[in-house]
Structure formats: structure tokens, C-alpha cells
Amino acid sequence: MNAMTKDSEDRRSQLRRDEADLIARCIAGEASAQEKLYRAHCRPVAANLYRVMGEKNDLDDMVQEVFVIAFRGLPKFRKEARLSTWLYRICVNVALGKIRNKVRRPPPILKADPVADDRRHSPESPETLLAREQSKAKVYAILDQMTPKKRMVLYLYEIEGHDLKEIAYLVGANPVTVRTRLFYARKEFYSLLAGSPDEEGAV
Amino acid sequence: MKHIAPHLLAQFSAQKTNPKATDRIEAHLETCSACKHSLSKIRIGRDTMKEIQAMGAPDLGWDHIATRIYWTTSSERRAKSNVQKRNWRRPVMALAALVIVAGVGVAFMGGNTEEAQGVATQAPLPQKDLVAADAAPAAIQPDESIGETIYGVVTFMQGEVVDGSQPILFDQDIVKGSHFSTGEGSLVVQFGKRSSFRLAKHSELWVRAFDTHRIELSVVGQVDVDIEKRGPEQAFVVDVGQQSVVVQGTAFRVEYREGQLGVSCTRGKVVVTDGQDNVHVPAGQMFSVESSQWDEAALRAIEIPLSRRSALDAEMAMPLLSTWGEAHQRNLDLSAVLEVVAPETQTVAIDGIRVGKGAFWLRTTIGRHQIAKLQKDGSLRDAAWVDAQGGESPSTVKFAQSVGSRSMRKVRKRELQGAIESGQKARRCLAPLAKRGLMVGSYIEFHVGINTDGRQRFLNIVDSNLSPAIQRCLRGAVDSETLSPGAASEFRLKLSF
């Protein structure tokens, strides 16, 4: 058991060393290192952004923006957090910017979105799939009605399952502020989700 | 009847309410169908959120994004490096500033006509150009109560320069009585921490006085002078024919050829005088006159054209020893001579500072210096380290002539381009891009060196907007090409798609 723990610790420290080496090479402007970093993190980054935004429109632009910001900021990366966490933080900020812009801009013309393979071969009936899609659309429609800051803390807490301290790091705010913001965000979100404006009070 | 707040229902659904609240909510839900309905909606919503949490990345054009990221970051890097490249000019300007700063706040000689008159010369006007100028301008009789002797050091020398009839030795002292002639070359002498003069080509200079009280130079041809601020008792005079140029702390150029006198001042102020009339030439102004027409001419300085000013500043920048000290021997001991041999038209920069063209000698501080070819666009190429060591023999750096004539470069370039285009390898590299319709506007530029046997001496990617993987592939494709034996050459090859 101890040997297993030691093994996993060794592996972890090796990973950390590899990551530090990769970062150093990226800072030195080594294109192959940058490509390696991109290939290792592009899918998680895209997934994060996709989950926050709920749509594929401009997703490639956002992924690009995240990595461009990351490569610019790597020399300032202080390694207090893992690289993936730091990238996640950039994703949050890029998404926040996008949400703010979205409020100001008219909705984009949607592009035809072919059904992904996994859904095409799903054992579920088309009706069930449709119901799920509608449910997702409803959640995102409610999120769209919220202010960007509230939306982000709610998303990070309720969907991503982060705790207050993590959210505070990701959004760059005080944990107390995050707690207050989250309280109002949850109140607003579930009110809209439940859709019964007459309920008031509390037990 | 009060309903349960939805966020509390959500907490209840997530089993995060305390036991007391859980009991109350359960009791309420048994009797309230509206809250039950809300709870079911919230449960569906929460299930959906779990699904959202499990959502992976959709399929995106990963390579396309990688290319765009690479393009953006590499353009930024290039822009940055261009800024850095431009920054090499700063040392040049700093060098110029080092020289110029000496005259800032200088007490001008404007009202000091007494001194100006004191240096009025009766020297005969040389009618011949320098080479035959045996009849040097007569020395102004220097004040016999001379100050301490000044020793100058040659810091730059190029081409044909002689002291009297002897070639100048790099470590010889420049003192009163020195006499220099230049053919196609030029010479820079430093004689204080920030004071120097440059004798341009086809010029002649006599050092009439060289001490702490008085420096007097007689010139036929062109001399650029840059002197630090001098005390009121320290005269600096340049005699040119029947006129003299009197200064205190300033940078200026005097050109005197075939009786035509021109004075341009870039810093401080100079007074041109024939002993009776004075012409004040402040910074940014120039004055020219036919020496023999002095009495009839309009004695007035005019503005130096803006377009000429910066060029003049750059031309007048002179290499200085930063380790200059009071002890003359120390200046020689703490410096070393570099001999640079480059093609005649090739400008050479040392430590990023433009120093000279072709072959020249430079006195510089002992230690390691970076030496490189300066391109027309301001970039540096073929940089190398050179260790300047004290001692009698200079450290030599040689730059080879560029390989291959222009026409041969064209031929070799065309050969290689043809080989690449007729082959399939490059096409295969671009297939992923072509498939996505992203090929238009893509390019890659190589720096290629070809040996006489047709094989490549080196192959570097200079610029591209393609992804690193495609760049590597294309480099491999170009690398595999071998040309027929012929002239060695070196060129840049840009492939646009």
C-alpha cells in the first residue's frame, strides 16, 4: 500500500517536472512545446468553454483566445496552481467576456450543427433526446437571463461542483463576495427554473 | 399559504438541508402540489446540469485553431523582435547622446567676442586640396602659458590615413604637432571622456595646440567635432582658411574645401569668425560661405533641413572608449584594438552599434563583444563573438563575401523552387489544409544555403503562417531536394499557396 502511494507520488512529481519543463520551453518560444501544450489541453479547454456557453458558435475563436492569452501570460504563470487550473481560470475570464459581449450583441445566425456520432448511435429514443435537448436549452436560457457574474458563480458551483475557495480563485474575487453572489444567483436561477412566481417565504 | 423558496427546494433535492428544515419541507410538500411541481422541475433541471457537467468537447478544427494560435503568437513574437531589433539603434543614439549631452546647457560663446577675436587667424588660405596642401594653414600662435598636455587616442581608423608621411600606429599618442591626412579612409580621435573628432576622407588636419587650456586644429577638408563642455578659460578653435570656428561645448561639422566653408552645428553653438565679423551658428543651423567672399557675403546662418538633421546626427556619432580615465597609459591598457575585415559595402555593427563599413580598426574596451553584419532593414546577421584582448596585436574578425552572385542566386532559387513544385512531398504536407480549404494565403519562407555539389548546406524556416507540423513536413520536403552541381549560393525562398 505504501509502495503504491510512493509510486503515485513519484508519478505526480514527475508529471509536475514535465509540466514545468514544457512551460519553460514554451516561454523560450519553442513552437513544438507550444503545440504539445495546446494538444494536451485543447479538448478540456474547449469542453469547459462549451459547458459555460452552451453553444458551439464562436467556440473555436474562444479556444484560440484562451491559448493566445496563455502563451502571452506563461512567463507570469507563478505555478501556484496547476497549469490546467490556470487555463481553466483563463477560460472563465474569456467566457465572462464573451457573455458580456453577447448581452450587447444580437444573437448570431446559427450554423447547421450535424448530430454528433455519439448521439446518432444513442439507444435513447429521439423524443427522449429532444426532451433532454430542450431541458438543456431551458437551463441555458435561464443562465442567459442572469448577469454574467452571477451566471458564472452559479455555473461553477452548481454545474462544475467547485467550492467557494476555488470559485474565488477562478473568478478573481473574495470568497465572501462569491458566497453572497452565489446566494443571490441560486435564488434567481431556481426561481426561474421552478417558474412559479407566486412562491415566497421560506420554511 | 407560503410556498417554499425554489433555492431551498434545490438544496432539499441535493440533500443539503439540515434535518429540521428537511422535516418541514417534507411536511409542506405533502400538502402543496405547487411546490411538488416546482420540485420536480428543479430535479429535472439538476439532472440536466449533471448532463451538462459530463459534456465533452465538441469536434472542432483543432489543427485550424492551432494554426491560428501559432500565427497570432508568432506575429506577436516577430513584432516584439522587430521592436528589439529597432532597439539596437538606442545604443547608437545613446552614443550620439553621450556625445551630445556634453554640450547641453553650455555657456555659449555668443557674447565672447574677445576670445573670438583672440583666435582670429592670419593663416594663409590654402588654395589646394589636402593632398597637395603642403602649405598648411599657419598656426595661430598659441598662448605660451600652456596647460597640461592632452593625449588623444585613435579609436577608429579606416582606409588610408597617415601621420605626416608615416602610417598611423593605433597606439600612438595624438599630441600637439600631430598631422593627419586621409585618402579614402577616416580617423576618429578621442581626447577626453566625451570629446572626439573625426577626420573624414580626403582631409587633412594639424593639431596646433592640444592642452587643457587650448585645443586648436587646422583643417582642410571635413572634420566632425564633438566636445564636452569646456571652462571659460578653455578655448577650442578650428581654423579653416582665413576663418576660425570657436566653440565651447558642442557638436558640429566643419567642411572646408577649395575655399568653400560650411559649418553645421547639431548641438550647442559655434561662432565663425574672421577676427572682425562673427557669425553665430546655433544648434540646428548651418552656415556656408565662399571664404574669399567673406566681406561681401550675407553672414547669416540658416536652418539645417529637417530631412538632413537626423542623418547628420547619425553620421557624426563617433565610437568612444567608455573606460576613459585621466591617466593616458591607462586608456591604452584598458582598451584593445579590433581589426574588422568585411566586404566594402558591408556595414558592421559592434555590440549593436553601427561602427563602419568594410575594413577598419576600432579601439574598444577589453572583453567580449558581439560583432554582426548590419542589414539595410536594420536587422543584424551573422553575429559572432569576438574577444578583444589588450596587447600589441589586434583581434581580427573577418566577414566573408556573400556567397554567389545575384544572378546565380536567382538560378539556384529557380532550380529549387521547380524541384519542390514538381515533387509530391510538399503537396502531401499541405493536403490537410487543402482538404479544409485553408490553404489559400498560407506561406512559408526558407533561408537556404546550397553547396557547389548541389546539396543543401543549411535550411532554416524564416517565416510562416502554417502550423508547426506542416512547417516541419514542408521543411522535410525541401530538405530532401538536391540540386545539380553548380555555384554555391545562399538565398531566401518563399513558397506561397
Side-chain angles (χ1 to χ4, degrees):
Chain A
M1 186 69 184
N2 278 344
M4 273 175 70
T5 316
K6 196 172 176 294
D7 270 1
S8 75
E9 263 178 25
D10 285 351
R11 235 190 343 266
R12 229 175 286 141
S13 64
Q14 181 58 42
L15 278 173
R16 241 176 271 135
R17 275 198 300 275
D18 289 349
E19 191 175 281
D21 177 55
L22 187 67
I23 292 167
R25 283 164 54 208
C26 286
I27 292 170
E30 206 180 296
S32 62
Q34 291 189 347
E35 193 185 358
K36 195 174 172 190
L37 191 146
Y38 166 76
R39 298 282 173 199
H41 295 276
C42 62
R43 282 170 202 276
V45 162
N48 285 334
L49 293 167
Y50 184 39
R51 287 197 295 269
V52 184
M53 304 306 294
E55 60 188 28
K56 275 173 76 176
N57 291 316
D58 299 334
L59 199 59
D60 46 358
D61 285 345
M62 290 170 75
V63 173
Q64 178 191 344
E65 197 179 338
V66 167
F67 280 99
V68 168
I69 291 171
F71 288 135
R72 273 186 205 144
L74 264 183
K76 290 178 194 161
F77 175 52
R78 285 177 294 180
K79 297 175 189 133
E80 286 167 356
R82 291 281 311 273
L83 180 65
S84 52
T85 314
W86 184 65
L87 283 172
Y88 194 101
R89 187 179 174 166
I90 298 174
C91 285
V92 166
N93 286 311
V94 167
L96 263 175
K98 191 76 184 171
I99 293 163
R100 287 191 186 110
N101 280 343
K102 201 172 158 186
V103 175
R104 289 194 287 269
R105 281 191 205 161
I109 298 163
L110 295 172
K111 293 168 199 161
D113 186 9
V115 178
D117 276 356
D118 59 335
R119 283 192 286 163
R120 207 183 295 153
H121 302 296
S122 166
E124 289 174 316
S125 69
E127 289 78 21
T128 319
L129 276 175
L130 183 68
R132 280 170 57 191
E133 289 303 313
Q134 282 176 337
S135 184
K136 269 186 204 169
K138 190 182 174 187
V139 169
Y140 282 109
I142 293 169
L143 288 173
D144 280 347
Q145 290 177 51
M146 299 170 74
T147 62
K149 281 181 179 177
K150 276 191 202 167
R151 171 185 177 151
M152 191 53 75
V153 290
L154 184 105
Y155 163 79
L156 291 171
Y157 184 83
E158 293 286 354
I159 297 177
E160 294 288 316
H162 292 292
D163 62 26
L164 291 179
K165 206 175 154 191
E166 286 167 341
I167 298 172
Y169 169 75
L170 292 171
V171 299
N174 189 305
V176 179
T177 312
V178 170
R179 193 178 63 193
T180 314
R181 199 179 288 165
L182 182 63
F183 172 78
Y184 289 107
R186 290 183 77 240
K187 214 173 162 182
E188 187 180 342
F189 177 79
Y190 285 112
S191 251
L192 291 166
L193 187 66
S196 40
D198 55 334
E199 72 254 296
E200 275 176 23
V203 175
Chain B
M1 182 183 176
K2 280 188 175 179
H3 296 290
I4 299 166
H7 68 280
L8 292 176
L9 285 176
Q11 249 173 301
F12 171 76
S13 165
Q15 297 174 342
K16 283 182 181 171
T17 45
N18 61 43
K20 200 178 164 187
T22 307
D23 291 346
R24 279 188 181 185
I25 291 169
E26 279 173 352
H28 180 83
L29 287 172
E30 276 173 19
T31 55
C32 181
S33 59
C35 285
K36 259 189 190 171
H37 188 61
S38 294
L39 181 63
S40 71
K41 280 184 179 175
I42 286 167
R43 280 191 172 141
I44 293 169
R46 287 188 64 80
D47 288 344
T48 308
M49 285 196 275
K50 276 181 195 153
E51 275 178 31
I52 292 172
Q53 194 184 4
M55 268 173 13
D59 281 332
L60 296 174
W62 304 114
D63 288 345
H64 188 191
I65 297 170
T67 308
R68 280 159 48 187
I69 293 167
Y70 177 77
W71 186 85
T72 311
T73 51
S74 60
S75 336
E76 281 175 359
R77 244 198 326 271
R78 272 197 301 279
K80 214 184 219 176
S81 86
N82 283 342
V83 169
Q84 280 163 356
K85 277 176 194 166
R86 278 198 298 276
N87 282 348
W88 74 267
R89 290 167 209 246
R90 285 185 187 163
V92 175
M93 296 315 291
L95 180 69
L98 187 73
V99 174
I100 285 164
V101 79
V104 175
V106 68
F108 297 136
M109 289 294 291
N112 199 351
T113 48
E114 271 179 31
E115 190 166 358
Q117 282 165 8
V119 295
T121 176
Q122 287 81 44
L125 179 66
Q127 296 301 310
K128 296 172 282 181
D129 208 345
L130 77 129
V131 185
D134 292 328
I140 300 165
Q141 289 307 308
D143 184 356
E144 285 307 316
S145 60
I146 57 165
E148 237 175 277
T149 303
I150 290 175
Y151 292 92
V153 164
V154 177
T155 55
F156 177 87
M157 189 163 62
Q158 183 170 40
E160 187 192 352
V161 186
V162 291
D163 180 3
S165 56
Q166 300 294 313
I168 288 184
L169 298 173
F170 223 100
D171 55 355
Q172 80 178 60
D173 300 334
I174 308 302
V175 288
K176 179 184 168 185
S178 299
H179 166 213
F180 310 114
S181 303
T182 57
E184 282 297 324
S186 65
L187 172 90
V188 175
V189 172
Q190 183 174 351
F191 54 92
K193 211 166 186 174
R194 292 171 183 177
S195 298
S196 56
F197 63 80
R198 181 205 301 272
L199 189 65
K201 58 185 180 182
H202 301 298
S203 303
E204 197 162 10
L205 181 142
W206 294 261
V207 180
R208 302 294 189 196
F210 214 53
D211 60 64
T212 48
H213 283 178
R214 185 180 189 83
I215 295 173
E216 189 180 334
L217 311 172
S218 294
V219 178
V220 176
Q222 181 185 303
V223 66
D224 294 336
V225 180
D226 200 323
I227 55 161
E228 56 193 317
K229 187 181 175 183
R230 303 177 66 73
E233 76 289 352
Q234 294 175 299
F236 189 101
V237 182
V238 180
D239 302 320
V240 273
Q242 292 174 335
Q243 283 79 37
S244 300
V245 181
V246 182
V247 292
Q248 275 212 317
T250 187
F252 64 101
R253 168 175 288 179
V254 178
E255 190 165 7
Y256 177 70
R257 292 186 198 276
E258 295 175 354
Q260 182 72 35
L261 169 65
V263 178
S264 308
C265 182
T266 58
R267 176 173 54 79
K269 189 179 185 181
V270 296
V271 177
V272 185
T273 180
D274 70 337
Q276 291 176 341
D277 299 311
N278 301 325
V279 183
H280 296 265
V281 186
Q285 295 204 357
M286 56 192 271
F287 166 71
S288 62
V289 69
E290 182 81 34
S291 191
S292 57
Q293 304 292 311
W294 175 271
D295 293 335
E296 292 85 39
L299 302 177
R300 205 157 39 83
I302 57 165
E303 291 286 324
I304 301 172
L306 272 177
S307 56
R308 178 79 190 108
R309 278 192 204 179
S310 53
L312 194 63
D313 277 335
E315 285 169 23
M316 286 174 63
M318 288 176 247
L320 293 174
L321 273 180
S322 54
T323 51
W324 190 272
E326 291 304 317
H328 175 57
Q329 192 54 43
R330 188 174 160 272
N331 295 326
L332 295 175
D333 292 345
L334 289 179
S335 57
V337 179
L338 284 181
E339 183 185 16
V340 178
V341 184
E344 209 172 305
T345 52
Q346 180 61 60
T347 308
V348 176
I350 293 179
D351 298 332
I353 300 171
R354 180 188 188 281
V355 180
K357 264 184 186 179
F360 58 85
W361 288 266
L362 175 81
R363 184 170 282 282
T364 185
T365 47
I366 289 174
R368 180 162 279 201
H369 297 272
Q370 185 208 53
I371 186 158
K373 287 179 182 174
L374 182 62
Q375 303 300 107
K376 278 179 188 162
D377 62 357
S379 61
L380 297 170
R381 273 185 62 196
D382 301 341
W385 291 113
V386 57
D387 288 308
Q389 285 160 358
E392 287 181 4
S393 52
S395 310
T396 307
V397 187
K398 284 185 182 169
F399 284 104
Q401 188 82 33
S402 296
V403 181
S405 66
R406 189 175 288 183
S407 57
M408 192 41 72
R409 277 204 295 273
K410 269 186 183 173
V411 171
R412 295 305 240 175
K413 193 173 172 178
R414 216 176 301 133
E415 277 177 15
L416 183 61
Q417 191 155 9
I420 295 163
E421 282 170 4
S422 60
Q424 290 295 316
K425 285 178 186 167
R427 268 180 224 169
R428 272 202 291 274
C429 296
L430 293 159
L433 279 186
K435 207 171 162 187
R436 292 195 200 98
L438 295 169
M439 211 168 81
V440 178
S442 305
Y443 69 90
I444 187 162
E445 190 176 2
F446 295 101
H447 186 203
V448 195
I450 305 283
N451 285 330
T452 45
D453 60 2
R455 279 189 295 186
Q456 290 173 27
R457 191 167 78 250
F458 62 84
L459 176 66
N460 294 318
I461 296 172
V462 178
D463 193 13
S464 178
N465 60 357
L466 292 162
S467 73
I470 297 175
Q471 283 183 35
R472 274 200 300 275
C473 181
L474 282 170
R475 191 185 180 283
V478 177
D479 197 26
S480 65
E481 300 295 346
T482 303
L483 304 184
S484 54
S489 190
E490 189 183 316
F491 52 85
R492 287 190 176 205
L493 175 68
K494 186 172 182 178
L495 302 172
S496 300
F497 311 106

